[in-house]
Amino acid sequence: MSDSSATTAALDIAQLQQAQDTAAWVLEEGKRLGLDGVEVNVSLSQGFSVNVRQGEVETVEFHRDRGVSVTVFQGLCKGHASSSDDNRDSLRDTLKAASAIARYTEADKHAGLAPADQLARDIPELDLYHPWEMDTGRAIDEAMACEKVARDDSRIVNSEGASINSGASLRVFATSEGFLHGYRGTHHSRVCSVVAEDDDGMQRDYWYDGGRIGEKLADAETVGQMARERALSRLGAVIPETGELPVIFAPEVASGLLGHLVSGISGGAIYRRSSFLQDSLGKAVLPAGFTLSEHPHLPAGNASSPFDGDGLPTGEQAFVEDGILTSFALGLYASRRLGMSPTGNGGGVRNLRVTDTGESLEALMARVPKGILITEVMGQGVNMVTGDYSRGASGFLFENGRITSPVQEFTIAGHLAEMLRGIQGSGTDVDYRGNIACGSLLLSPMKIAGR
């Protein structure tokens, strides 16, 4: 079935140059129209996804998306418009639409482009573009093999499918203050999800691997094996007793907890006064000895970027040092609202890392007599304004450093600020698949609502 004659998800240098030419033309046209300032984003993405289920091909999807968005400034008034068509007439109409919107918006003294002396000048090459020699025929074969391994147990009674995804994208950002740069990137993944059943009921779980370099992903068989083992390990789950227990967040859940911290220190939340960490600058938000740092220039990093959403330089920095919050994550507009310097975080943070305490998951479990390893959380019970935290969860009960039984259908509750400051240890089992890389986190006792 395989036909390796083509790389399906790829964008060449000529397409990047065309996008840069488009951005340059928009800036020139904005100048001709007499606009005080123009900002333009040009994006292009393409790729494919293959999904198989129960040994049959379910979907083969190709995508190709193009977009041009423009923001214009007339004095302190701003207008925005976008188009999926990059021909000149359409772009001229888009500029005029943004200009018309600006005439009706309220003046905002904090709005405006980054001045030339703040813009990124040195644009590092970050090795973000790695087309995968993976056509749809080979992808189907590998997805089939992945699911076959995942279903290789009589207790696996159903499958939600196995998929392989490959995509390439490019981004060009330009402003009338003298910035025009762009870069290409790729992202690829393998995913599998299956359902196991025994006399006590059904359990579902999954596994995946993703990154910029397809050849470095876990192979199809490994992803399938992990999905199978995780689903089988949940069979026989019971509801734990209500009480208070130490909890360990597995890496894939721990990154979400740190994500709440990041949301709490983001400039938008701070200037709107809608963060549970509102007045925490200079105060402890993590235990002593813990650092939370950003590394946006990691070669082939999942979230690496040579410049931020405002055209400002990105760079390595720490938001938390020795447990103390030393900086908010600020884009240009938020920094102006707060009267602070921007931190190069327009568009968010990139490649976060947290200190690990040099302990394996087993060592973390051995530190407490009894606790719960949380492997999944669900529900929307997180209030980012008050910090109140209450979510459904499932995972494993452990005693004396050993897992004793799977558990399900219970709720964990606490307060985000207390949970973060109550971290007792950070494991070496770091999950690098996302934007926030961290290992398992051992937390102080939390309220468990079960039976």
Side-chain angles (χ1 to χ4, degrees):
M1 179 181 290
S2 179
D3 173 11
S4 59
S5 61
T7 299
T8 311
L11 295 169
D12 59 31
I13 288 292
Q15 289 167 296
L16 177 61
Q17 183 60 58
Q18 181 182 6
Q20 292 174 323
D21 292 344
T22 296
W25 184 89
V26 170
L27 295 181
E28 284 299 317
E29 184 65 10
K31 182 179 180 180
R32 190 188 70 79
L33 292 173
L35 299 172
D36 294 334
V38 179
E39 173 184 290
V40 55
N41 271 287
V42 181
S43 62
L44 175 62
S45 65
Q46 63 184 40
F48 70 88
S49 64
V50 166
N51 188 73
V52 304
R53 182 174 178 274
Q54 300 284 31
E56 300 289 339
V57 177
E58 193 165 65
T59 59
V60 178
E61 297 181 352
F62 295 85
H63 69 84
R64 181 180 173 86
D65 300 301
R66 181 189 301 274
V68 181
S69 65
V70 296
T71 301
V72 306
F73 295 91
Q74 291 282 49
L76 297 176
C77 299
K78 180 176 77 171
H80 178 82
S82 61
S83 173
S84 59
D85 189 347
D86 63 357
N87 73 63
R88 300 304 189 242
D89 289 339
S90 178
L91 293 178
R92 188 177 292 110
D93 290 343
T94 303
L95 273 168
K96 291 178 179 178
S99 180
I101 292 170
R103 288 197 294 270
Y104 295 97
T105 59
E106 188 173 344
D108 184 347
K109 66 180 181 180
H110 305 294
L113 302 173
D117 60 356
Q118 286 187 315
L119 294 169
R121 293 304 177 193
D122 296 323
I123 308 299
E125 167 53 49
L126 301 179
D127 194 32
L128 305 181
Y129 183 69
H130 294 270
W132 198 7
E133 294 295 333
M134 175 71 70
D135 60 76
T136 53
R138 179 180 159 197
I140 289 171
D141 292 342
E142 290 202 7
M144 290 282 195
C146 181
E147 190 193 38
K148 182 178 180 180
V149 170
R151 296 172 61 196
D152 189 22
D153 189 292
S154 60
R155 293 169 293 176
I156 301 296
V157 296
N158 206 344
S159 168
E160 294 185 350
S163 64
I164 291 182
N165 310 278
S166 180
S169 62
L170 64 80
R171 177 201 176 197
V172 171
F173 180 73
T175 81
S176 53
E177 289 294 319
F179 187 89
L180 198 167
H181 293 284
Y183 58 92
R184 298 176 295 166
T186 52
H187 191 273
H188 318 285
S189 65
R190 291 188 174 100
V191 188
C192 186
S193 176
V194 290
V195 178
E197 184 179 22
D198 65 3
D199 293 340
D200 294 318
M202 293 185 178
Q203 297 289 342
R204 167 203 165 275
D205 216 321
Y206 74 100
W207 194 246
Y208 82 98
D209 197 8
R212 293 194 182 272
I213 305 175
E215 290 77 10
K216 290 189 176 182
L217 301 183
D219 61 37
E221 290 75 12
T222 298
V223 171
Q225 179 182 346
M226 287 291 295
R228 181 187 72 226
E229 291 177 354
R230 286 170 63 90
L232 292 175
S233 70
R234 296 177 64 160
L235 291 175
V238 298
I239 302 174
E241 294 182 358
T242 295
E244 288 195 10
L245 285 175
V247 300
I248 295 177
F249 279 13
E252 58 269 28
V253 182
S255 61
L257 176 62
L258 293 178
H260 296 317
L261 189 161
V262 172
S263 296
I265 65 172
S266 67
I270 297 299
Y271 79 71
R272 294 185 183 96
R273 299 198 65 80
S274 59
S275 168
F276 71 100
L277 295 174
Q278 187 66 50
D279 300 308
S280 295
L281 199 63
K283 300 178 182 178
V285 295
L286 289 175
F290 276 77
T291 295
L292 182 69
S293 55
E294 180 187 30
H295 306 267
H297 293 174
L298 284 178
N302 286 335
S304 294
S305 177
F307 51 85
D308 79 349
D310 302 307
L312 303 185
T314 54
E316 189 168 310
Q317 60 185 324
F319 298 111
V320 179
E321 296 183 72
D322 196 22
I324 304 299
L325 180 63
T326 56
S327 173
F328 295 129
L330 304 177
L332 182 65
Y333 182 78
S335 72
R336 290 171 173 171
R337 289 290 300 261
L338 294 168
M340 298 178 175
S341 298
T343 60
N345 292 111
V349 298
R350 300 165 181 87
N351 300 327
L352 285 186
R353 302 289 185 265
V354 69
T355 302
D356 73 71
T357 52
E359 298 162 284
S360 65
L361 172 59
E362 292 73 19
L364 292 177
M365 289 194 295
R367 288 180 56 178
V368 295
K370 182 179 181 179
I372 295 181
L373 171 64
I374 307 294
T375 58
E376 183 179 16
V377 291
M378 58 210 77
Q380 304 299 315
V382 181
N383 188 318
M384 291 301 299
V385 179
T386 66
D388 292 331
Y389 184 99
S390 179
R391 303 189 72 183
S394 61
F396 299 89
L397 188 69
F398 63 88
E399 296 185 52
N400 300 316
R402 298 176 61 86
I403 288 176
T404 57
S405 67
V407 287
Q408 63 179 357
E409 297 178 12
F410 62 97
T411 300
I412 54 175
H415 188 276
L416 281 171
E418 295 173 359
M419 292 165 63
L420 291 164
R421 289 196 302 268
I423 294 173
Q424 304 296 307
S426 177
T428 56
D429 52 340
V430 178
D431 182 356
Y432 291 101
R433 296 173 297 175
N435 185 26
I436 302 176
C438 67
S440 297
L441 295 178
L442 170 62
L443 277 63
S444 298
M446 294 183 65
K447 295 177 182 178
I448 309 295
R451 58 183 171 85

